[in-house]
Amino acid sequence: QVQLVESGGGLVQAGGSLSLSCTASGRAFSMYSVGWFRQIPGLERGFVATISESGGFTNYADSVKGRFTISRDNARNTVYLQMNGLKPEDTAVYFCAARMGPRGTYEYEYRYWGRGTQVTVSS
């Protein structure tokens, strides 16, 4: 079992940057692929990015490709989401999620979830 805590959210102007962290407690974090999802109030959570257990493979939603970068440091049990060129439409609560096995892009594929961190981008 793994527990996840997100941090790094906040308020930023359009065009700015934020770096989110997802820190895990529990054993064998390197056996989990990790995804970032985001949720706008009233809507379902949507896929943002995912990274494989070793960090060698990543996937991104088309809406964030070229602006966001997912990475991980297994020695620190942490996955990062560097967000550059932020737009008002990136405003959402950002969640990280973990699953044992290959990375996935669907919410139902992930068993463990953090509580989320708010990102607000002003125009």
Side-chain angles (χ1 to χ4, degrees):
Q1 190 170 353
V2 63
Q3 293 81 42
L4 305 172
V5 178
E6 303 93 340
S7 61
L11 173 64
V12 65
Q13 288 189 330
S17 298
L18 279 176
S19 181
L20 304 184
S21 297
C22 171
T23 303
S25 60
R27 298 181 177 180
F29 180 63
S30 61
M31 296 178 66
Y32 293 82
S33 57
V34 175
W36 283 98
F37 291 77
R38 63 188 181 186
Q39 187 171 25
I40 300 168
L43 300 179
E44 294 183 352
R45 277 189 284 211
F47 168 71
V48 175
T50 185
I51 190 165
S52 61
E53 300 95 311
S54 67
F57 298 95
T58 59
N59 292 89
Y60 297 91
D62 288 343
S63 58
V64 306
K65 231 173 249 185
R67 299 188 297 123
F68 291 11
T69 303
I70 189 171
S71 61
R72 69 188 295 162
D73 182 344
N74 284 340
R76 297 179 183 270
N77 278 13
T78 302
V79 171
Y80 305 96
L81 185 68
Q82 177 65 41
M83 306 185 294
N84 299 327
L86 283 161
K87 305 175 181 179
E89 52 264 43
D90 294 318
T91 295
V93 178
Y94 283 70
F95 298 86
C96 66
R99 59 168 293 185
M100 292 196 83
R103 64 198 186 283
T105 60
Y106 295 97
E107 185 179 354
Y108 71 84
E109 296 180 281
Y110 289 85
R111 180 174 182 181
Y112 304 104
W113 290 83
R115 293 188 175 185
T117 185
Q118 175 71 46
V119 171
T120 303
V121 185
S122 63
S123 57

